[in-house]
Each structure stands twice: as C-alpha cells, then as structure tokens.
Amino acid sequence: MRNCTLVTEFLLMGIPHTAGLERMLFVLFLAFYLLTLPGNLLILLAILTSTNLHTPMYFFLGNLSVLDIFFPSVSSPKMMRYLTGHSHTISYQGCASQLFYHFLGCAECFLYTVMAYDCFAAICHPLRYTVIMNPWVCGSMTVATWMGSCLHASVLTFLIFKLPYCGPNEVDNFFCDIPVVLALACADTSLAQAVSFINVGLVALVCFLLILISYSRIVVSILKIRSSEGRHRAFSTCSAHLTSILLFYGPVVLIYLRPASTPWLDSVVQVLNNIVTPSLNPLIYSLRNKEVKVALRKALTRGMHTSGE
C-alpha cells in the first residue's frame, strides 16, 4: 500500500462554465428553494387539515411532499453559500452526508411505484379499492419504501466512503454525488462503480417496469369506459402522477444509466432533479386538482380567522 495523506475536505467546483454568473444563479436557486418549501408545506397542510383528503392517494402525496422538502435541502444551502463568495470547501463528513440524496431518490422512486399501483387499484378495481388499499396496506408500503431506501443509500455510502481519498479533492459538481466522488478515489473503484450502477439501475428499472405495467392496465381500463366524461375523469386522476414520473426518471437515465459522464450536462440535470422538480410538484398536483385547492383555501381561511381573533 502506498503512503498517502488522506483527504479531510473536498472542494466543490460548482456548475461548469458558469463563471461570472454567481449572482444570477444565487437569485435563481434561492427563488426555487423558497418556492419549494412553502409549496410542499401547503400541500401537507391541506392533506392534514382536510378530512376529504384522508385517502391513500393523498397519504402518498403527503410523503412525496416530505421528500421534496428535503431534496433541495441536501445541496442548495451549501451551493448558495459559496455562490455568495464563501468557501467552496466541504468536510469529508459533509460530503458523505450529501449522499442522503440517494436515500431521497430511492424513496421517491419506490413512492412513484406505489402511487402508480394506487391509481391502478382506483381505476381498474373501483368497487374493491378500499379493501385493496386499506390502512394496513398503505402503512406497510410506506414503511417498506422508507426502509428499502435506507438500505439502498447505506450500501452506496459504505462502498464509496470506505475507499481512500488521497487527492486531488476537487469535486467536479455543485454537490457530492457518486460519479464525481468516485473519480477522486486513489484505489480500485470497479466494485463500487459496478454496485452503484447495478444498484441504482436495478431499482430504477424494476420500479419503472412496475409503473409501466400499472399504467398499461390503466390505459386498457380507461379505453373500456364508454362516456368521454368518464374517460377524462379517469385520465385526469393520473395525469399529475405521469408528469412527475417523467420529470423524475429523465434525470436518472441521463446521469446514472449511461456509460460516459459529461460534467456540465450532469450538473444541469442534477439542478433540474434536485431543485427545479421539487418546486414544480406542488403546482403539478394542485393546479388541476379541485380537492386540493378547496382544502388549501379552507385551511388558509381558517388560519386567517384564527390569527384575526
């Protein structure tokens, strides 16, 4: 084993080719971050305060809102700090903690799969829906989602940070992610690369196939509905979920399931996945959903009356 000085901190290089745009990027990312937090908190408020939303669909949507609150919180605070002129350095432990992103990503992947099954049960088996998606089933699916994601992220973090890092310490991204950190290891990374590729790829592929199966059955059931109004109502039930799936799986495929890595493209896609998409989900799920809008209006009105008293 060669002698080397182990790295105790890393240097986040930020988004490539954006020198001189720090102020504009700070304002942009701050706007998205401030949009994400209240947007998802309002969704949670509506679900918690309205008994009409105490259903499996909104229970899972509440879990999605929790994940979307944490997603930008993994990387945005540190990124916005160095965009304002502070140090780009991040401690070894801080870098490892940013892989919490993979816990959130895996949980969201599992959750979208569960939500697709919920749509399938609601549209394909409406008379048995309350039996299929009973509270015990919903709770078990949610616990399995969070526990499975914890195992997934723990394996990846252990494999990556048990490797020695002797320098250089420049992370070619705005946060510590698997591909850019592994490139800095001063040991054989083939095992970690293979496991991370298989682990991330297998989770994404299996979940995507299950979602595809659910929606294939949903489409067949919708086409069997005779009235155009019924078809429209059934489709609108799942349209928001489909939009979120496209926004989620696009970055996963572009970053983790292709052989060659492009730093600039990776950073841009990660910005979309970490910062932009979590701010859009509340809009996607509320703009065309009358139940959520009514619940939000009632909750906010009740809050204003309470503060007025």
Side-chain angles (χ1 to χ4, degrees):
M1 182 179 293
R2 62 178 182 177
N3 294 324
C4 62
T5 303
L6 294 179
V7 168
T8 58
E9 62 182 20
F10 293 94
L11 187 65
L12 299 173
M13 302 306 293
I15 302 173
H17 313 302
T18 57
L21 302 175
E22 288 82 4
R23 289 185 180 180
M24 185 187 75
L25 290 174
F26 172 78
V27 172
L28 183 65
F29 295 147
L30 180 62
F32 275 114
Y33 190 56
L34 294 179
L35 183 64
T36 299
L37 296 182
N40 285 287
L41 286 172
L42 284 173
I43 293 290
L44 280 174
L45 176 66
I47 293 171
L48 292 173
T49 58
S50 175
T51 54
N52 292 333
L53 301 185
H54 292 174
T55 63
M57 172 184 172
Y58 294 108
F59 173 70
F60 296 131
L61 179 57
N63 279 268
L64 180 64
S65 293
V66 172
L67 293 173
D68 282 341
I69 289 171
F70 282 109
F71 244 119
S73 301
V74 170
S75 58
S76 292
K78 180 63 181 178
M79 178 177 62
M80 288 188 290
R81 181 174 171 79
Y82 68 67
L83 284 174
T84 56
H86 290 82
S87 173
H88 285 235
T89 59
I90 183 171
S91 67
Y92 183 90
Q93 293 79 9
C95 188
S97 69
Q98 287 195 334
L99 286 189
F100 181 65
Y101 163 81
H102 281 275
F103 166 79
L104 299 172
C106 184
E108 198 151 308
C109 193
F110 288 154
L111 192 59
Y112 280 131
T113 309
V114 170
M115 292 171 77
Y117 179 74
D118 177 62
C119 285
F120 159 76
I123 292 174
C124 300
H125 302 285
L127 299 179
R128 295 170 47 215
Y129 176 68
T130 54
V131 176
I132 296 172
M133 300 301 294
N134 62 66
W136 187 87
V137 170
C138 293
S140 298
M141 286 180 168
T142 304
V143 170
T145 291
W146 290 90
M147 295 300 292
S149 305
C150 184
L151 177 63
H152 167 85
S154 298
V155 169
L156 292 178
T157 304
F158 171 76
L159 285 174
I160 291 166
F161 283 94
K162 79 180 184 69
L163 294 169
Y165 293 88
C166 319
N169 66 340
E170 295 180 349
V171 176
D172 201 10
N173 205 336
F174 64 92
F175 81 112
C176 294
D177 196 14
I178 292 174
V180 288
V181 172
L182 276 180
L184 303 177
C186 53
D188 182 18
T189 62
S190 56
L191 176 62
Q193 286 179 331
V195 172
S196 63
F197 184 84
I198 293 170
N199 201 351
V200 174
L202 188 62
V203 167
L205 180 61
V206 170
C207 289
F208 182 76
L209 289 176
L210 291 173
I211 291 171
L212 194 61
I213 291 170
S214 294
Y215 272 98
S216 298
R217 297 288 300 277
I218 288 170
V219 169
V220 171
S221 295
I222 290 176
L223 293 176
K224 290 180 180 179
I225 299 174
R226 294 182 180 180
S227 67
S228 58
E229 183 182 349
R231 286 195 297 269
H232 176 74
R233 190 184 302 114
F235 178 75
S236 63
T237 302
C238 302
S239 59
H241 183 240
L242 276 172
T243 304
S244 294
I245 287 172
L246 292 174
L247 289 173
F248 176 78
Y249 271 96
V252 171
V253 172
L254 284 174
I255 294 175
Y256 301 107
L257 303 183
R258 60 190 175 89
S261 177
T262 306
W264 182 83
L265 180 61
D266 287 351
S267 295
V268 171
V269 174
Q270 288 284 22
V271 166
L272 293 175
N273 201 32
N274 290 15
I275 300 170
V276 178
T277 300
S279 68
L280 295 179
N281 275 340
L283 299 176
I284 292 169
Y285 281 97
S286 63
L287 284 180
R288 298 182 61 185
N289 193 313
K290 292 181 180 179
E291 290 179 320
V292 173
K293 287 191 283 189
V294 169
L296 274 175
R297 196 177 299 117
K298 287 182 178 179
L300 293 175
T301 303
R302 193 183 303 118
M304 286 189 290
H305 285 321
T306 302
S307 61
E309 295 174 359

